[in-house]
Amino acid sequence: MRSYPFVLSFAIAAAPAWAQDSPPTKDSLPLHRGQWAMQIAGVISLAPPPPNVIGISVGTAGVGLLRFTSPRRAWAINVTVSGGHSHTTASDTSSTSAEYTSAAALTVRVGPRSYHAVMPSVALFHTFGILGSFGHQCFVQPFPPSSCQNGWNAGVFGDFGGAYFPTRFFSLGSSIGASFSYGRSYARISPTREMTT
């Protein structure tokens, strides 16, 4: 499976959470080697969902960490975890039946990020890296069909954006990006039918 999602993310990136150096000069950013930062982001997806319906979806991109190897370069790690479970029980005079649905998904993105200062407290950045994800979904009911599906994706991504540093301990930014991935999934449909995609 190939996907080409275009994503606009609005991030709260904590750049210099443990800065120990002197206050930044007018033409510098509050970043230094060995620094750790936390990133929290939301996502607006501009890709139309199938089947060819124009739409916009809003979600969360999870949390991430930045590890600076120099004042302008860092390794970015972003992890997104989602899931849910529901259980329904129905009773009548003769019997009781139950059904449940469950879903879980994990996505990890890792890559180097570079910053370029364009004015005091403002920088452009770009990130290129690899991504991987795993998903699980089940629907079980008293009578067929019931199904469970597991799948994975792997690919590459790229982001380009900007960040504003109002203080040494906080920044606001946005980025736009694209990704390319390939995946496989395996589904089991009760009672005996199986298929792969």
Side-chain angles (χ1 to χ4, degrees), residues 77-195:
I77 303 172
N78 183 273
V79 178
T80 304
V81 179
S82 62
H85 179 85
S86 64
H87 188 97
T88 304
T89 302
S91 300
D92 56 28
T93 56
S94 60
S95 64
T96 299
S97 62
E99 65 179 44
Y100 74 85
T101 59
S102 65
L106 170 68
T107 302
V108 179
R109 293 161 40 118
V110 180
R113 173 176 293 184
S114 297
Y115 287 85
H116 174 68
V118 293
M119 62 181 64
S121 302
V122 178
L124 298 177
F125 64 83
H126 62 265
T127 312
F128 298 100
I130 59 174
L131 62 87
S133 65
F134 174 79
H136 165 79
Q137 191 169 29
C138 267
F139 173 70
V140 178
Q141 58 185 355
F143 306 101
S146 296
S147 65
C148 282
Q149 179 173 306
N150 295 316
W152 59 267
N153 283 276
V156 295
F157 74 92
D159 292 329
F160 177 81
Y164 168 61
F165 299 82
T167 75
R168 297 172 58 200
F169 307 100
F170 181 78
S171 69
L172 294 170
S174 66
S175 67
I176 186 168
S179 66
F180 174 84
S181 63
Y182 173 82
R184 295 281 292 175
S185 63
Y186 175 82
R188 174 174 293 175
I189 300 176
S190 176
T192 57
R193 186 182 172 192
E194 298 181 357
M195 65 180 182

Side-chain angles (χ1 to χ4, degrees), residues 47-66:
N52 301 320
V53 178
I54 302 297
I56 297 176
S57 61
V58 180
T60 175
V63 298
L65 289 176
L66 296 172

